[in-house]
Amino acid sequence: RLLTVPKVCIFLMCYVTQVTVTATLVTPPGSNTSSNPLALNGPASITVTLTPGNTQQEARFNFRARALGTQNISFTAAASDGAVADRVQLKVPVLGKQGPVWIATSFAVRGSNSSTVANRVVGLALPAAENGSGSVSLVAGVGYLPAVQGMYEGLVRQGLNSYRDCPSATNAIALSVIPSMISLYHMPGTSVSSYLTANQLDITLKAMQQATTTLADAKYGLLPQEPKCLYPNGPGPDRADISLNSWAVWLVGQLGAAGAGSAGLKAGSAAAKPQDGTDLDLKLSS
């Protein structure tokens, strides 16, 4: 904070004014100073000199972060005679050095019928963080589940944005079937709400609705995008996308062969079903 003191002139002579600025860490009632998130790292008081030609000076204080939290700091400016000229109290958030960081590693393990447990040691280099400011969440997965979950979460994050104007049939099909793939990794009868959030269910149902309505043509099947995007000035589609439709038919067929269905998805998201009762089962044929 900049301090400004008016010029003091007597008999055409201007005097120099000295101001001492003191920083004080405010400790909450019932606590001791060791619990403060900040600690002064240097002098608590700094004296600056104000003259008629230089009525603004800057006083800088150094602090050291000891923990995450919020610290109240009081700054007091007093004249040389001890009279308080100004006072202000600020609330300062004490944050870590960086946001969350994901670190991943993977390795292949050969399957075996042996009862012997194969131990594998994997090293991870964790980022440097302020002592006491970080936490570690460990997620371990077996098989392709981590990759499938990561792909699904990525599609969910961009889902609403990509569907706002010109939906993509590829994304819509992927979002529609990945939850059924994820269900294969869980025991039969497991509630879908235990591994899918309400937001994920909502995005998936919207994708299924897109795939069976605006992205579907009665004659040519699935379209890469809505007709209004593909043919803004034309009469509409005039050919089938063989690659897209073949991929969608194969994908749904693979899920059917593996025993994955949409019953669990529909049971876990009845509240998000369209009010007109539209059946959101994805039915494709060649």
Side-chain angles (χ1 to χ4, degrees), residues 192-226:
V192 68
S193 61
S194 66
Y195 54 88
L196 290 182
T197 66
N199 179 60
Q200 290 173 332
L201 285 170
D202 180 62
I203 299 296
T204 292
L205 287 176
K206 288 179 179 179
M208 295 173 72
Q209 196 170 19
Q210 291 280 1
T212 55
T213 55
T214 56
L215 289 168
D217 183 82
K219 183 177 181 180
Y220 298 111
L222 274 175
L223 303 175
Q225 288 183 315
E226 289 187 17

Side-chain angles (χ1 to χ4, degrees), residues 16 46 51 106 149 179 183 237 247 279:
V16 174
I46 298 176
T51 65
S106 64
Q149 288 178 319
S183 70
W247 170 71
D279 188 357

Side-chain angles (χ1 to χ4, degrees), residues 18-77:
Q18 288 190 330
V19 177
T20 299
V21 184
T22 303
T24 305
L25 298 176
V26 180
T27 304
S31 303
N32 51 51
T33 57
S34 62
S35 64
N36 288 335
L38 288 180
L40 267 168
N41 193 21
S45 298
I46 298 176
T47 299
V48 296
T49 301
L50 303 178
T51 65
N54 189 1
T55 59
Q56 289 186 341
Q57 290 289 341
E58 185 177 76
R60 294 190 177 188
F61 298 88
N62 292 323
F63 298 91
R64 176 172 53 87
R66 300 192 301 186
L68 299 181
T70 302
Q71 178 69 64
N72 288 320
I73 308 175
S74 174
F75 295 95
T76 303

Side-chain angles (χ1 to χ4, degrees), residues 84-117:
V84 175
D86 199 1
R87 178 184 287 117
V88 66
Q89 181 168 306
L90 304 176
K91 180 181 290 186
V92 179
V94 183
L95 309 176
K97 288 185 177 181
Q98 62 187 47
V101 177
W102 283 91
I103 303 174
T105 185
S106 64
F107 53 87
V109 177
R110 185 180 298 277
S112 173
N113 294 326
S114 172
S115 60
T116 303
V117 177

Side-chain angles (χ1 to χ4, degrees), residues 162-194:
S162 62
Y163 295 147
R164 190 164 297 157
D165 298 316
C166 294
S168 161
T170 302
N171 285 359
I173 292 295
L175 276 169
S176 300
V177 302
I178 288 180
S180 295
M181 293 180 178
I182 295 177
S183 70
L184 296 174
Y185 290 88
H186 297 80
M187 295 295 292
T190 303
S191 172
V192 68
S193 61
S194 66

Side-chain angles (χ1 to χ4, degrees), residues 83 105 155 159 206 245 249:
T105 185
L155 287 170
K206 288 179 179 179
N245 281 270
V249 170

